Amino acid sequence: MFRTLATLLIPEGAPSVQAEAVFAFHPEQLSRWLDEMWAEGGISTWVPIFTDPLDPLGDVKAITSTQIPDQMIELFQSGISGTAPGYVPPAVGTHKQVFLWDHLFYAYLIESTGALEIFAEVVRRYVVGETLPAASAATMAWVRATEELFFRDPPMFRVGGLTSQLRPDARVNRRNAYWRMFGLDLPHAAPGVSGQPWKQDAGAAHNVRFIEIWNELLRQVWLGIENERNSSGANPTDSTYVALLCKTLGEMLRMRRIGGMLSRDEFSFVSVLSWFHLTVGSDNTVIRDLSAKSGSGGNAADRLAVVGARVGVAPSRQARELFELAEVISPLLWAIELRMFDSAPQAELLYRSTGIPNPAPAQTMNRIIDLWQSATGDRVKDLAVTTRRQWNQLAGSAQPAKLLPTATLSSAPVPAPSANGQRTAVSRR
């Protein structure tokens, strides 16, 4: 959501200027803006695209029964508007176009890069000592907002208020949602957490077959892409089977949303991870103060690697693919949940790029397949590989074998980092 806010504030601005505009606002305003976005309804209000009474958040009351009443929102608005910090209601993005937040899988992929744990250590270093380069006032405002918004209990009754005496650890809460929705663990350990408490009482209904079905969908779509231009010989592409896979995935995901379950969690977790994605998305003040600029040809993964080296926490070696995957997979999974590819003619759009008005879905799927194979090591393009892994029965963990491996950086200017998301000992010179 914060990446959306950045483009709303300065639609034509440079990415670094957009990010700095967001970071300049008071955390109380940012927190209230999230409540305003939740109350707007997101995808649940996009009625024209639905052909049946399906609600994408599991229940029509998922928003209305949990939002702050409209009158209270109007009484004290966030006032986030314009390029300068201040209070200028109404806020951007309210009472106009309704914006879609990312799918929960976006949060999973961004957290898998190690970005959250790296910047958690950055914030800790800034607030307890002086082991990092001197920070500007703008960076210290970012530090304050990051700590207030994501590393302390949020104000009562806010949409992001998911920690309590019953579930006190935000890291465990996010992992619980990933496990229930996708049957996946993060590829790095949760700092300070023993065992896997996010799986306790999760029940037997978690989507343990998500990755199996997802990989099969990618394999069948690639088969369609390869055979689309066949003018002679057999064409093994089966659009009906592709549609069945999409339908199966959609049913699995919708089952976890019955009654609005996980919808507020999804909104909150996506918002948290979008803040850190926004931070590494450009050479903004925070990145410049950490001497992690990557230049015009750089990317989020390059910046994250340098920041991680400064605090002794290594990101995933697949961070570059994960950042891009998070952006392109999110709309696809929403479309699958909304039954947009449940019929054979619709499913053909996932691999057909010729003879149709809009080849964008097939082009996007081709890119997803490339990135997924590179990030996970799963040979979805190798149609001779038909062995299905027991994703949920690997030694000591339900984590897929290569989704996503921990890594170390080849070199680091400050300390030598270790496993993704794990703190290392830093030598004192």
Side-chain angles (χ1 to χ4, degrees), residues 21-323:
V22 175
F23 300 154
F25 282 95
H26 192 282
E28 172 67 15
Q29 290 180 278
L30 295 170
S31 178
R32 286 184 175 272
W33 184 80
L34 291 178
D35 270 300
E36 291 168 348
M37 290 300 97
W38 175 254
E40 291 292 323
I43 196 173
S44 67
T45 64
W46 290 17
V47 178
I49 68 174
F50 304 134
T51 57
D52 55 37
L54 173 70
D55 189 278
L57 299 183
D59 193 289
V60 294
K61 296 181 180 179
I63 300 288
T64 57
S65 63
T66 57
Q67 71 168 86
I68 296 176
D70 291 337
Q71 295 83 351
M72 294 181 68
I73 290 181
E74 295 291 338
L75 185 64
F76 189 7
Q77 301 178 46
S78 68
I80 293 182
S81 185
T83 60
Y87 183 77
V88 186
V92 294
T94 58
H95 310 299
K96 298 176 184 178
Q97 181 181 357
V98 178
F99 294 93
L100 168 67
W101 50 81
D102 283 299
H103 196 275
L104 183 62
F105 207 49
Y106 166 90
Y108 173 80
L109 292 172
I110 298 298
E111 190 161 3
S112 292
T113 67
L116 189 147
E117 301 302 341
I118 288 173
F119 282 105
E121 180 63 9
V122 167
V123 172
R124 192 191 70 81
R125 295 279 193 96
Y126 270 130
V127 298
V128 303
E130 300 175 26
T131 60
L132 294 177
S136 62
T139 292
M140 291 311 299
W142 172 89
V143 168
R144 188 266 178 100
T146 304
E147 184 177 27
E148 292 273 351
L149 289 169
F150 312 122
F151 296 108
R152 55 158 288 179
D153 289 338
M156 290 190 298
F157 314 121
R158 296 291 170 81
V159 63
L162 300 176
T163 55
S164 69
Q165 294 179 6
L166 304 179
R167 45 175 181 167
D169 193 325
R171 287 182 172 94
V172 172
N173 294 343
R174 288 194 301 273
R175 289 166 185 259
N176 173 265
Y178 302 150
W179 175 249
R180 291 162 63 188
M181 187 69 87
F182 311 117
L184 292 176
D185 281 327
L186 287 172
H188 54 269
V193 179
S194 60
Q196 296 179 326
W198 52 89
K199 297 179 183 178
Q200 296 176 6
D201 301 320
H206 57 274
N207 289 332
V208 71
R209 293 192 65 209
F210 174 84
I211 286 295
E212 176 190 336
I213 303 300
W214 169 255
N215 275 341
E216 181 66 8
L217 173 63
L218 296 187
R219 189 172 290 110
Q220 293 300 318
V221 169
W222 178 249
L223 183 67
I225 292 173
E226 276 199 321
N227 289 279
E228 184 193 9
R229 294 181 177 86
N230 278 4
S231 57
S232 61
N235 186 342
T237 306
D238 188 345
S239 59
T240 301
Y241 183 42
V242 174
L244 175 63
L245 293 170
C246 290
K247 185 175 182 179
T248 302
L249 280 176
E251 290 173 348
M252 292 170 63
L253 296 173
R254 289 193 299 270
M255 282 294 292
R256 304 283 76 76
R257 298 186 185 275
I258 293 176
M261 286 190 302
L262 293 179
S263 293
R264 193 161 62 97
D265 308 65
E266 176 178 58
F267 177 84
S268 177
F269 301 156
V270 162
S271 298
V272 171
L273 274 301
S274 72
W275 177 268
F276 298 107
H277 193 180
L278 178 64
T279 301
V280 294
S282 64
D283 289 338
N284 54 70
T285 304
V286 178
I287 296 299
R288 294 197 300 271
D289 283 355
L290 290 167
S291 300
K293 290 173 59 178
S294 63
S296 58
N299 56 68
D302 293 339
R303 301 182 189 99
L304 186 64
V306 176
V307 176
R310 286 201 168 276
V311 296
V313 183
S316 168
R317 284 183 300 179
Q318 290 78 23
R320 183 167 185 169
E321 291 94 330
L322 295 175
F323 279 121

